[in-house]
Amino acid sequence: MTAMIALSLSACGSGNKPSTTGSSPAATAAPVVTASQPVKLRIVWWGSQARHDATLKALDAYTKKHPNVTFEPEFSGFDGYADKLATQAAAKNAPDIIQMDPAWLAEYAGRNQLADLSKGIRTEDIDKSLVDSGKFKDKLYAIALGNNATGMIYNKNAVDKLGITPPKNGWTWDEYFQFGKDAKAKLEKDKYVLMDATSDYTTYSAYQISQGKGYPITEDGKFNFDKDTWLTFVKKYAELRTAGVIPPAEIASTDKESDAKLDLMNNDSVLMKRTFAALFPGYEGVKPGAYSLVAQPKGPKSSGWLKPSMFWSVSADSKYAEESKKFIDWFVNDSEAADILTTTRGVPVSKKMLEYLTPKLTPADKLQIELIKNVAPDAQPFNAGAKGWSNYTAKDYKSIGEKVMFGKITPEAAYEELVKKAKDYQ
């Protein structure tokens, strides 16, 4: 009788696979999964080796608890991840469980490529603002995996060795640029202090909002680059490039975030770069105790913002949406998962899990929390990215910025290209 009731409830709870057009039901219903039926879930994420190792360990732990569920993991660094996922989703072959960046959520949810997660995952211990960050048009398509904040990572061991004053919270952009010049004066010729941010949309966004000009692309999809602010920013980096404070273009363009060898922080090419709190465990895993965090520089206003570190989403084409949701619920709300994952995806979103973990946190974990606390008091509103603009901010901006870095175009001409290219998205 118990088995019959369970099967009946399972059948009632399993809905049709969401339509990819949003206007017609899917041709086939999702299968009803019994406790003994084998299920293989494809799951994809990006990150550092520390995150990869912890996630694989978590998958093994889940399979031990649910022997019928196994995983087909796909993981990589951040570079290339977005392109591969977009190709898979367009072909209706996306993994069941997808690590989703907040900047892409509107794109995927707006194209009906994600499943509704409103039911089946416990969110009562998560701050409402974090839960709502996974919504698109009032429907929940993503579950936040960590609290996060923008910031700067720097090699404190190298700074101490150089005998220069380390950066501090509350510093200004002028102080940031001067720090670069002061440190460069004590560095060998082929070492650099700051990253070249000419082609980095995230850093420029921070700079523009700190000048009181708002985000370069507004949340409702309007082009809002302030010409004078952008030219000032780009020309400052040209000055720093000439002075050797930032790497030459041929070196700066090789940076691969979170890669153990190709990230310019990890291979000692630069002393400081823009980062997020949730990425810190990856750097710590490569060089334990070498790095520290500080808030981003300020202008007349703050430049930092808080955000969900990343999400889990479920593909609208998944045959195992219910099983995927059960896994996500365990991942976020179970103490065994918390012990394995710690802060590899940012500060845990479940208040109960954070309280449970706090006595066990390492000094590096606490640095993440400290950065979030330092950014929070005057944090800028988080802009998750406007629907339809992801290629512009991730690809077009980078391409145009790199032309400036390599001296193929003037800053003024580059700005006109930004304006012209934006018309394709409006």
Side-chain angles (χ1 to χ4, degrees):
M1 179 64 73
T2 302
M4 290 174 65
I5 292 172
L7 182 59
S8 174
L9 289 174
S10 177
C12 291
S14 62
N16 288 337
K17 185 174 66 175
S19 165
T20 54
T21 64
S23 59
S24 61
T28 58
V32 176
V33 177
T34 65
S36 60
Q37 180 181 338
V39 172
K40 178 174 282 190
L41 298 176
R42 291 172 59 212
I43 180 170
V44 63
W45 69 90
W46 75 83
S48 65
Q49 191 62 47
R51 184 182 298 166
H52 299 336
D53 293 342
T55 307
L56 290 171
K57 189 175 178 181
L59 300 185
D60 287 342
Y62 190 82
T63 296
K64 286 179 181 177
K65 293 175 73 77
H66 306 276
N68 66 311
V69 180
T70 56
F71 296 91
E72 185 180 325
E74 303 172 26
F75 52 89
S76 67
F78 192 74
D79 278 16
Y81 180 95
D83 289 340
K84 182 178 180 181
L85 179 60
T87 300
Q88 290 174 323
K92 301 188 185 305
N93 187 39
D96 299 282
I97 303 168
I98 302 165
Q99 187 169 290
M100 176 67 57
D101 189 273
W104 312 332
L105 182 60
E107 295 281 351
Y108 282 87
R111 292 197 293 261
N112 301 304
Q113 292 174 324
L114 301 178
D116 183 359
L117 304 183
S118 300
K119 296 180 181 179
I121 300 172
R122 292 167 290 165
T123 59
E124 60 269 20
D125 291 324
I126 304 174
D127 281 333
K128 185 178 183 298
S129 61
L130 274 177
V131 175
D132 289 348
S133 70
K135 290 183 177 180
F136 177 75
K137 293 186 176 179
D138 295 325
K139 241 181 190 179
L140 188 65
Y141 291 103
I143 299 295
L145 299 180
N147 278 315
N148 203 4
T150 55
M152 311 292 289
I153 183 171
Y154 68 97
N155 190 322
K156 66 180 178 62
N157 289 350
V159 168
D160 290 345
K161 189 175 179 180
L162 291 174
I164 56 177
T165 304
K168 60 182 180 179
N169 294 309
W171 60 338
T172 66
W173 287 101
D174 286 342
E175 289 172 325
Y176 169 69
F177 296 134
Q178 188 60 48
F179 170 82
K181 293 175 182 178
D182 292 344
K184 179 59 185 178
K186 298 190 175 187
L187 276 177
E188 52 263 53
K189 186 177 180 181
D190 60 344
K191 299 293 181 182
Y192 309 93
V193 186
L194 310 177
M195 273 294 296
D196 190 339
T198 306
S199 63
D200 182 8
Y201 177 81
T202 300
T203 301
Y204 177 67
S205 293
Y207 184 79
Q208 181 168 306
I209 61 175
S210 75
Q211 306 305 310
K213 304 293 184 178
Y215 279 95
I217 304 296
T218 64
E219 204 162 6
D220 58 352
K222 299 291 191 302
F223 181 82
N224 187 47
F225 277 77
D226 183 79
K227 182 176 182 179
D228 289 342
T229 303
W230 191 79
L231 290 175
T232 297
F233 179 82
V234 171
K235 289 179 179 180
K236 170 56 72 172
Y237 277 93
E239 172 193 320
L240 296 173
R241 194 178 303 114
T242 300
V245 175
I246 62 176
E250 59 269 21
I251 293 176
S253 60
T254 66
D255 179 63
K256 289 186 182 290
E257 188 173 67
S258 297
D259 188 287
K261 295 181 179 179
L262 297 179
D263 187 300
L264 295 186
M265 275 292 295
N266 283 330
N267 65 24
D268 293 324
S269 293
V270 298
L271 289 183
M272 174 176 285
K273 68 184 295 191
R274 183 268 301 164
T275 193
F276 291 95
L279 294 178
F280 191 69
Y283 289 104
E284 177 71 10
V286 175
K287 293 185 178 177
Y291 300 124
S292 192
L293 294 169
V294 67
Q296 291 182 145
K298 295 183 175 185
K301 295 188 175 183
S302 69
S303 68
W305 60 87
L306 302 176
K307 58 169 280 189
S309 59
M310 61 206 67
F311 299 116
W312 279 137
S313 291
V314 176
S315 169
D317 297 303
S318 173
K319 295 179 181 179
Y320 299 113
E322 294 305 313
E323 291 301 315
S324 297
K325 288 193 282 185
K326 289 177 186 176
F327 168 76
I328 294 172
D329 180 76
W330 175 85
F331 196 94
V332 172
N333 293 304
D334 191 277
S335 59
E336 182 182 11
D339 278 333
I340 295 170
L341 299 161
T342 62
T343 59
T344 54
R345 281 179 171 79
V347 178
V349 293
S350 165
K351 295 173 185 175
K352 283 185 179 178
M353 291 304 101
L354 180 56
E355 183 179 352
Y356 166 76
L357 272 184
T358 296
K360 307 178 182 184
L361 293 179
T362 67
D365 294 330
K366 291 173 183 176
L367 278 174
Q368 285 190 70
I369 297 172
E370 196 64 27
L371 176 62
I372 291 169
K373 287 180 179 178
N374 287 327
V375 172
D378 59 357
Q380 292 281 354
F382 171 56
N383 181 342
K387 180 184 175 184
W389 285 88
S390 61
N391 278 340
Y392 183 87
T393 56
K395 295 181 179 179
D396 295 333
Y397 184 87
K398 182 178 181 181
S399 175
I400 293 170
E402 286 183 345
K403 288 182 184 179
V404 176
M405 290 163 58
F406 281 96
K408 294 181 178 179
I409 192 172
T410 66
E412 289 78 9
Y415 180 80
E416 294 307 317
E417 277 202 25
L418 289 172
V419 173
K420 183 179 179 181
K421 195 66 182 175
K423 292 177 181 177
D424 296 341
Y425 296 83
Q426 291 176 315

